[in-house]
Amino acid sequence: MQTIPFLRKTGEAPFTDRGIKKAGQLLKPWTGEGVKGVAITGAPLSKTSISHSGAFMAPQTIRQMMHSFSTYSIEQETDMWDGVITDFGDIEMHVTDLIQSQNRIYSALKEIQSQHNGALIITLGGDHSVSAGAIKAFQETRGRVGIIQFDAHFDLRNTEDGGPSNGTPFRQLIENGVISGDQLVQLGIRDFSNGKLYHDYAKDNGVTVYTMGDIKREGLLTLLKKSVEQLKQTTDNIYISLDMDVLDQAFAPGCPAIGPGGLDSDSLIEGIQWLGENPSVKGMDIVEIDPTLDFRNMTSRLAAYIIMQFSLFYSKREGGK
Amino acid sequence: MQTIPFLRKTGEAPFTDRGIKKAGQLLKPWTGEGVKGVAITGAPLSKTSISHSGAFMAPQTIRQMMHSFSTYSIEQETDMWDGVITDFGDIEMHVTDLIQSQNRIYSALKEIQSQHNGALIITLGGDHSVSAGAIKAFQETRGRVGIIQFDAHFDLRNTEDGGPSNGTPFRQLIENGVISGDQLVQLGIRDFSNGKLYHDYAKDNGVTVYTMGDIKREGLLTLLKKSVEQLKQTTDNIYISLDMDVLDQAFAPGCPAIGPGGLDSDSLIEGIQWLGENPSVKGMDIVEIDPTLDFRNMTSRLAAYIIMQFSLFYSKREGGK
Amino acid sequence: MQTIPFLRKTGEAPFTDRGIKKAGQLLKPWTGEGVKGVAITGAPLSKTSISHSGAFMAPQTIRQMMHSFSTYSIEQETDMWDGVITDFGDIEMHVTDLIQSQNRIYSALKEIQSQHNGALIITLGGDHSVSAGAIKAFQETRGRVGIIQFDAHFDLRNTEDGGPSNGTPFRQLIENGVISGDQLVQLGIRDFSNGKLYHDYAKDNGVTVYTMGDIKREGLLTLLKKSVEQLKQTTDNIYISLDMDVLDQAFAPGCPAIGPGGLDSDSLIEGIQWLGENPSVKGMDIVEIDPTLDFRNMTSRLAAYIIMQFSLFYSKREGGK
Amino acid sequence: MQTIPFLRKTGEAPFTDRGIKKAGQLLKPWTGEGVKGVAITGAPLSKTSISHSGAFMAPQTIRQMMHSFSTYSIEQETDMWDGVITDFGDIEMHVTDLIQSQNRIYSALKEIQSQHNGALIITLGGDHSVSAGAIKAFQETRGRVGIIQFDAHFDLRNTEDGGPSNGTPFRQLIENGVISGDQLVQLGIRDFSNGKLYHDYAKDNGVTVYTMGDIKREGLLTLLKKSVEQLKQTTDNIYISLDMDVLDQAFAPGCPAIGPGGLDSDSLIEGIQWLGENPSVKGMDIVEIDPTLDFRNMTSRLAAYIIMQFSLFYSKREGGK
Amino acid sequence: MQTIPFLRKTGEAPFTDRGIKKAGQLLKPWTGEGVKGVAITGAPLSKTSISHSGAFMAPQTIRQMMHSFSTYSIEQETDMWDGVITDFGDIEMHVTDLIQSQNRIYSALKEIQSQHNGALIITLGGDHSVSAGAIKAFQETRGRVGIIQFDAHFDLRNTEDGGPSNGTPFRQLIENGVISGDQLVQLGIRDFSNGKLYHDYAKDNGVTVYTMGDIKREGLLTLLKKSVEQLKQTTDNIYISLDMDVLDQAFAPGCPAIGPGGLDSDSLIEGIQWLGENPSVKGMDIVEIDPTLDFRNMTSRLAAYIIMQFSLFYSKREGGK
Amino acid sequence: MQTIPFLRKTGEAPFTDRGIKKAGQLLKPWTGEGVKGVAITGAPLSKTSISHSGAFMAPQTIRQMMHSFSTYSIEQETDMWDGVITDFGDIEMHVTDLIQSQNRIYSALKEIQSQHNGALIITLGGDHSVSAGAIKAFQETRGRVGIIQFDAHFDLRNTEDGGPSNGTPFRQLIENGVISGDQLVQLGIRDFSNGKLYHDYAKDNGVTVYTMGDIKREGLLTLLKKSVEQLKQTTDNIYISLDMDVLDQAFAPGCPAIGPGGLDSDSLIEGIQWLGENPSVKGMDIVEIDPTLDFRNMTSRLAAYIIMQFSLFYSKREGGK
């Protein structure tokens, strides 16, 4: 075999520094073996959004943004250099049959979670509709789920006006009997971003709702501790559903439904770190980033940073899981 | 008359959810009847700006952004579903005679305020020059005005160097004898955004000036309470003139004169809520948003949100006014 | 009833010139009466696109762009001032059930064409998938259709790999027995934009294909005359399906599938004028403009201009139809 | 005096090549002396535009774009290295009194033309409203003017509906008795871009109108020769008023009123070269470029290139004038 | 090994159609074996540009744009489905030592051309500075080179004012004795884009120069035939150096040095097709596309299309080489 | 000499207000005399960046942004109207020899600091590579330097993998024996933005490192006081190296290496004010702003504001230095 000086394969990094490993390099394509630790799976579905959304591009953009970060946490003085974040790739979506796309998300994630019991899967949306299938698959393989939902919106809309969309995932889960309302805690719900009918629905079904006002008064960490404590009493595992629009528009300019009055990114990061270390947390999704609307991929950068912080604190769990 | 299945008139919302009413749907075009409660009027004038400005587009953009919000406040558990925000439309501007445009703003608003004594008119600029006519009309119909001006700038420039522009409205009001300086409180005035000559003018005329430093030290709410208390002693009604550039550039990227060192949006919203509920407040304008410069209409979104929060707390006033 | 000086209702033109009527003002919302002449209907569907597409925004953008033009043709010295282009509005799309959306396009257009036999309906996509239903409805109400398809692509893809998408409309029509291949003439098919399998399919089914090379060699007008002559022998009426990506990327920067080597806009306009005047032409659609990708709405401007030129020459038909 | 190695004053070119002089370096600020040859003057007025326009930025942008070109014409094998294009600077506009701004354009240009009889002044708009004053000044100092207007629009609107705007300059000139219609030839007038009322006005006043159709049929050069021949019979000097929107939107994406069906840039350049060499041509303006809307300053680049081609062919005139 | 339903590896196409193969799929990473036919190598160097340039991104962007095209030419009724375009990857550039980067380009390409005598290498810049090394390597491995340079500029600047930059490649080749001027034909040289000093240099060194005027008068094909005929008399092989800025700004908006008065894309494509089939042509580079400045990657799209047309006509050569 | 009414020279402000002086007007080009007080010098080098960077444009953009501010500080009630900030201009960079460019920065700044001992030079990058030469020149002319580095990154990379780049300046200073690690305090170092190898290097060399976590826990002012106290014990003067990416991406969207988890702009401004007044501080640089990536020049605006605040507090130093 011949060699050519200075040649790098298409796609390889144009410059490497011996002292720095990119967080993106921790991503290893799954090759059929059993997986442990944090892993990601793309669910590139956003045709299910009520408004036009390019959120299907987020999995790929978040992966790219992981190349903007290194593996070393100076705050923890911990290097994830030798770590691995398994990348299961993306679930293939159907061009025109959106229900089939949703079913594929459920089926693929169920199979993944079932095969890889020791793995913590982070599902990358896509829009929030992907959480319905993701959570159903999670519960069927990991036991009764308690959900921590970061969101400006209930996502409890009726499914009759438009089918199972990015406004309905938690309604679907409750209506289909997958979960009951007491398995769900919603944090960051915001003024003028929801309908009273759906607040009533949340109340009627025993969903715990913390508004942005609650967070500003009590602090996110306090509410998270309270929420996890409460959920642990009736569920087996905690699943985080992170809709990035829980953040204020100044910190997440790339969410389809941006607005003022939301969370700042530092608070969210602190919350994610705490959840990352908490051994009850066994699943996660990150949704509602539309790279076509973002500024300099700021929102995907934040998502990549959150994956890294979560993974870092996950690695601090006792027994490593 | 024939009907066609699935057909929606041009301009109708492409999707409706039975449980959600858009804040934008509260806007009802004025049809000649007497008006009560909050109402908006567009003053799409920005040729009067010292620098190039597309702020004339803001009234239309803010209306559109109201469709990004719903009618339900979860923090107050109050639904404005049945509320009405009357939309008087826009005042027609002259293509080349800017003084005539300014006069039209005054005449139209005077007529509106005069006809609709029970209404609280929010005038949507346009640049800050619209406030001169708006406040004159307000005082002539509602009694001696006390002004709470949110602004990075005095807007007390001399009128000789360029005529009545977006830098001069409060100077005009004082010089023309419409108000005296003690009727005016300015909040958020910022370093390197003003001339000493005009600070001297403010002092000489008894204008109360609170800088960003004052706000950071004492808190916006404290200063607002102090300001309203003070103004109420010599005036009949409070008028809010909200120049969005009082905000830091991170929170209001669409103002022509953006800069660092300004207010954050949460503080402003809290202040507006307090003013909304305060029965002395009887008029308002929102100015200096240029949608052609904004990112994803963030600044117009914030303006729409402010209109909703103001209206919400306005509805909590005793006796409803 | 009260009046206010200088007030214009929200949405009204901010400036009017007595000597100029905007082409957009010819658009009159349908109010249930019988319609004659040119009419438009929006089919805002683009979730059916193989690639991400905002083409569902095109009907609204094209309507806006009609306000960039006036009613007067100096070349023909004809003023359409008193003309009317009926606007049936947009067909409501389902959020998640795309097949139902396609069926609604078919149903609504069938009802429209059936009720308004004297009208020439221009359907505004949306992506090219809307043509399948539009043409089926056209043929069922107007008799055997002959199709002039302007396109860089065959749009004859198999429907198994992704369902009925923007790559399949003419395949669907043939496979479902709605048309046979000899009812279809394709103009502008381009290198490296199609698969051989689908060229074979076109040949096997008797579709007439003129490539960009053919157009450059023989001229568009010559080929159009030949095509209409041929189609008239076996069909009752001509339907134009105008995929804007038949144009070179320099002239239609807002099509999802832009590329070099395409038609220039002057040639297309000339062709449309000829077709507008030809009494055989009884239906039309304009598809594949994505306003989110366009530069200054150039492609929607061109579409609006084409509607006006078509309507102008349509009005020159003998007997006015 | 001290010196510092490698230091360049702010504003100096960061790199210079001994073999290349930038066209922009031909621009020499006027310092009070008598001027010969081509000179430019900025008339940065666009608040007079019917629609929002940033055309006031064009003089500065065109100057910058002249730094994108060199002084050497390979086609003519002529180097303008030693040439000078005098830059009179910009006429100061009033912030709020637009009529005064227009008067200043007239006064300044009259003084310039009067003082510098040997100079050919190119006035850089701004919008087309600047031509009214520019042409009046030209005629009062240089004798009876014949105007070659490149434009998609008549710019003969009535002045009652909005005052003297960018739609009215030639109407003003005729109504104010500055010119009669036979002094005006309009080239490039386009379909659906004008009102019939104003075509009638053109005809009634003896204005010569060549449409885009005329240009496509007869060729621009032919019509230019015919026009100059005709104008020379009754006027003393030719003045070119070049509204860049005579060009197709593909070639001038930065004009406020872009559209399809216009001139290509090569034809315009050829026409300008011919006019540059023609000794009758003694004045020019270039208007209606809005740099805030342009793509990569393409339209200002073209304007700069036109100034250079015009100057090159001007230098070929016999006797150098 | 386990499998998961619907899962696709990161980077795989999200949708595949059995009837269409993407041109991009013809690209096969080189794996050490001997290569025949067309192959590409990236030379991602643009720090050597006189002005700021992101042309180093072009190789990657052009590869992506090849996924916008299919393998089938309808004009030739030829499917390249089974073809291969070997992708040697990118040559690694040094972060701060630009001369070393240029040397690496030379070394790598010399090795490639030497190892793969049967391959036609298309080097993808990067800026035009990459051609100096690429052509030197070409000649040393393939015999005396005749160069067809498409360019608005001579690229014959002196090397003293800034070192070996994107303005100097052909000067370097002549000064270093690699070629003499009669081995070089330049097509498309444009007004006001060059210095007379360098035209003199071209003449003094026997470089053949065809201006845009020459092309417009005589036709590109005619000049190409003449050029190849002439070069073949004294050289062994023809090398095409395609600077995309030979095109008019309307057709190549992504070149750093855009301007009016250039070539249209159809003419260039026709010229490339002819050169592709001509057995004398044995090497090529495509340079000066800056994807950060482009609109919708139009210029990279055109480059990808040119690679495909060149490859198509290359495959028609007798004996297949 | 003649005069023309209303004429302003190219480049002059189009509007002036007698009561306001622009901060930009404080900038006076150096004319060879001795300089006191704050002065700026541009070091427009960014080809040395590991990733593509347009930071070389920042000096010019920051100067322009100074025209967005006035000279008056309302917080200090101090007007800098009569102040002067000397502008030494920009150091000329070599096109292709980056090491020579770095040497020029060193030579020019050494000469400037040497000639103007009473001046406080703010060097405007450019990327962070400019600090190596700037600090070496500072120390050689002003005595042993203590460095306060605001940065998300160590910038202590090895110089072997890419030469002296924007990742290596402080490594170069230490390795070349210009400074020892105890002369360097780094503030704001962030998670996943650095390599452990370089943290080890910092520790091994006695560099003081404060992370973002430290800043959030202890406060920036506290750490600054501690840092200056410590540095003063072993050094003669303090030099501030301000890499703007120490800020959170929400506050500095124009840095090449943006990310979440950084400093807010208010804290930075407060820190700079304190440092401005501290008599130990004698030099400064501001680096890593890429205007081509920024939104509305927000980051350059902030830099200009920081220059003004620094200059304001500098003027408050006892003895004025």
Side-chain angles (χ1 to χ4, degrees), chain A residues 269-282:
Chain A
I269 292 165
E270 191 185 36
I272 291 294
Q273 289 172 330
W274 185 84
L275 290 165
E277 195 168 0
N278 191 303
S280 315
V281 176
K282 293 293 178 60

Side-chain angles (χ1 to χ4, degrees), chain F residues 291-311:
Chain F
T292 69
L293 299 178
D294 210 353
F295 184 75
R296 292 193 67 199
N297 287 325
M298 273 190 184
T299 317
S300 295
R301 270 175 218 266
L302 182 49
Y305 190 79
I306 280 170
I307 291 172
M308 287 307 291
Q309 289 288 0
F310 183 87
S311 299

Side-chain angles (χ1 to χ4, degrees), chain C residues 15-20 22 68-80 250-251 265-266 269 273 295-299 301-302 305 308-309 312, chain D residues 50 154 157-158 160-162 189-199 203 209 211-213 216-217 249-250 253-256 258 260-261 293-295:
Chain C
F15 171 71
T16 49
D17 175 320
R18 66 193 72 175
I20 291 184
K22 302 283 192 182
S68 296
F69 296 103
S70 72
T71 59
Y72 180 61
S73 163
I74 188 167
E75 304 291 0
Q76 308 299 324
E77 298 215 14
T78 302
D79 197 343
M80 300 175 69
F251 297 99
S265 53
D266 278 354
I269 293 165
Q273 289 172 331
F295 184 75
R296 294 194 65 199
N297 287 325
M298 273 191 185
T299 317
R301 270 176 219 266
L302 182 49
Y305 190 79
M308 287 306 291
Q309 289 288 0
L312 173 69
Chain D
I50 295 171
F154 297 122
R157 288 166 179 254
N158 77 80
E160 288 150 40
D161 288 327
I189 304 298
R190 218 182 290 176
D191 265 10
F192 302 124
S193 305
N194 297 281
K196 178 181 181 303
L197 192 68
Y198 303 125
H199 195 189
K203 289 175 182 170
V209 173
T211 67
M212 273 311 304
K216 283 175 187 168
R217 277 184 299 273
Q249 61 186 5
C255 293
I258 56 167
L293 300 178
D294 209 354
F295 183 76

Side-chain angles (χ1 to χ4, degrees), chain C residues 25 27 29 33 45 51 58 102 115 155 193 197 219 235 281 316:
Chain C
Q25 292 176 271
L27 295 174
E33 77 289 10
L45 178 63
S51 302
Q102 292 175 327
Q115 287 178 17
D155 288 0
S193 305
L197 191 69
T235 63
V281 176
K316 295 171 69 176

Side-chain angles (χ1 to χ4, degrees), chain F residues 6-220:
Chain F
F6 306 117
L7 218 53
R8 298 203 157 202
K9 278 204 164 42
T10 292
E12 284 184 351
F15 171 71
T16 49
D17 176 318
R18 67 192 70 176
I20 291 184
K21 188 167 185 173
K22 302 284 191 181
Q25 292 175 271
L26 301 184
L27 294 175
K28 301 291 181 203
W30 179 62
T31 51
E33 77 288 11
V35 171
K36 298 201 173 205
V38 175
I40 63 170
T41 307
L45 178 64
S46 53
K47 287 186 175 179
T48 35
S49 291
I50 294 171
S51 301
H52 186 51
S53 170
F56 75 97
M57 294 183 196
Q60 203 51 25
T61 308
I62 294 169
R63 286 181 185 104
Q64 285 166 15
M65 286 306 104
M66 288 192 70
H67 287 273
S68 296
F69 297 103
S70 73
T71 58
Y72 181 61
S73 163
I74 188 166
E75 304 291 0
Q76 308 300 324
E77 298 214 14
T78 301
D79 197 342
M80 300 175 70
W81 188 288
D82 298 319
V84 166
I85 297 177
T86 301
D87 183 355
F88 279 101
D90 286 346
I91 303 166
E92 182 186 4
M93 297 292 99
H94 194 276
V95 174
T96 53
D97 186 341
L98 309 191
I99 305 305
Q100 188 177 139
S101 291
Q102 291 175 327
N103 290 339
R104 289 179 182 183
I105 291 171
Y106 162 70
S107 306
L109 285 173
K110 183 162 182 188
E111 190 65 27
I112 290 172
Q113 310 246 36
S114 162
Q115 287 178 17
H116 309 281
N117 195 48
L120 189 149
I121 309 299
I122 302 179
T123 300
L124 305 177
D127 64 34
H128 219 155
S129 78
V130 310
S131 299
I135 289 170
K136 182 157 182 266
F138 180 83
Q139 181 165 268
E140 291 178 359
T141 53
R142 301 290 171 89
R144 189 169 165 84
V145 63
I147 306 165
I148 301 278
Q149 175 193 351
F150 292 93
D151 209 331
H153 314 87
F154 297 121
D155 288 359
L156 290 169
R157 288 169 180 250
N158 78 80
T159 56
E160 288 149 42
D161 287 328
S165 72
N166 67 334
T168 65
F170 301 98
R171 176 71 165 255
Q172 292 167 248
L173 288 169
I174 293 172
E175 286 197 343
N176 298 339
V178 180
I179 64 167
S180 62
D182 65 346
Q183 290 174 263
L184 178 60
V185 177
Q186 304 189 314
L187 292 129
I189 303 298
R190 218 182 289 176
D191 266 9
F192 303 124
S193 305
N194 297 281
K196 177 180 183 301
L197 190 69
Y198 303 125
H199 195 187
D200 292 344
Y201 183 90
K203 289 175 182 170
D204 293 347
N205 284 273
V207 176
T208 303
V209 174
Y210 294 117
T211 68
M212 274 310 304
D214 295 328
I215 293 177
K216 283 173 188 169
R217 277 183 300 270
E218 304 191 40
L220 180 60

Side-chain angles (χ1 to χ4, degrees), chain B residues 64-100:
Chain B
Q64 285 166 15
M65 286 306 105
M66 288 190 70
H67 288 275
S68 296
F69 296 103
S70 73
T71 59
Y72 180 62
S73 163
I74 188 166
E75 304 291 359
Q76 307 299 323
E77 298 214 13
T78 303
D79 197 342
M80 301 175 69
W81 187 289
D82 298 318
V84 167
I85 298 177
T86 301
D87 182 355
F88 280 101
D90 286 345
I91 303 165
E92 184 186 5
M93 299 291 98
H94 194 275
V95 174
T96 54
D97 187 341
L98 310 191
I99 306 304
Q100 189 179 139

Side-chain angles (χ1 to χ4, degrees), chain E residues 39-276:
Chain E
I40 63 169
T41 308
L45 178 64
S46 54
K47 287 186 174 179
T48 35
S49 290
I50 295 172
S51 304
H52 187 50
S53 170
F56 76 98
M57 294 184 197
Q60 204 50 25
T61 308
I62 294 169
R63 285 181 186 105
Q64 286 165 15
M65 286 305 105
M66 288 191 70
H67 288 274
S68 296
F69 296 103
S70 71
T71 58
Y72 181 61
S73 163
I74 187 166
E75 304 291 0
Q76 307 301 323
E77 299 215 13
T78 302
D79 197 342
M80 300 175 70
W81 187 289
D82 297 318
V84 167
I85 298 178
T86 301
D87 182 355
F88 279 100
D90 285 347
I91 303 166
E92 184 186 3
M93 297 290 98
H94 194 275
V95 173
T96 54
D97 187 342
L98 310 191
I99 304 306
Q100 189 177 141
S101 292
Q102 291 176 327
N103 291 339
R104 288 179 183 182
I105 292 170
Y106 162 71
S107 306
L109 286 172
K110 182 161 181 189
E111 190 65 27
I112 290 172
Q113 311 245 35
S114 162
Q115 286 178 17
H116 308 280
N117 195 49
L120 190 150
I121 310 299
I122 301 179
T123 301
L124 304 178
D127 65 31
H128 218 155
S129 79
V130 310
S131 299
I135 290 170
K136 182 157 182 268
F138 179 83
Q139 180 165 270
E140 292 179 358
T141 53
R142 301 289 171 92
R144 189 169 165 84
V145 65
I147 306 165
I148 301 278
Q149 175 192 351
F150 292 93
D151 209 331
H153 313 88
F154 296 121
D155 288 0
L156 291 168
R157 289 166 179 252
N158 78 80
T159 57
E160 288 150 41
D161 288 328
S165 73
N166 67 334
T168 65
F170 300 98
R171 177 70 163 258
Q172 292 167 249
L173 287 170
I174 293 172
E175 286 196 343
N176 298 339
V178 180
I179 64 167
S180 64
D182 64 345
Q183 291 174 262
L184 179 60
V185 177
Q186 304 188 314
L187 291 130
I189 304 298
R190 220 182 288 177
D191 266 9
F192 303 124
S193 305
N194 296 283
K196 178 180 182 302
L197 191 68
Y198 303 125
H199 195 188
D200 292 345
Y201 183 90
K203 288 176 182 169
D204 293 349
N205 284 274
V207 176
T208 302
V209 174
Y210 294 116
T211 68
M212 274 310 303
D214 294 329
I215 293 177
K216 283 173 187 168
R217 277 183 299 271
E218 304 191 40
L220 180 61
L221 264 193
T222 306
L223 294 180
L224 281 178
K225 285 171 190 169
K226 201 186 294 185
S227 303
V228 168
E229 208 51 49
Q230 171 192 318
L231 287 170
K232 278 171 67 176
Q233 290 171 11
T234 58
T235 63
D236 300 316
N237 288 300
I238 303 289
Y239 179 98
I240 306 167
S241 187
L242 171 53
D243 184 327
M244 294 293 281
D245 70 18
V246 74
L247 291 159
D248 192 278
Q249 60 186 6
F251 298 100
C255 292
I258 56 168
L263 203 61
D264 64 286
S265 53
D266 278 353
S267 300
L268 178 60
I269 292 165
E270 190 185 37
I272 291 295
Q273 289 171 331
W274 185 83
L275 290 164

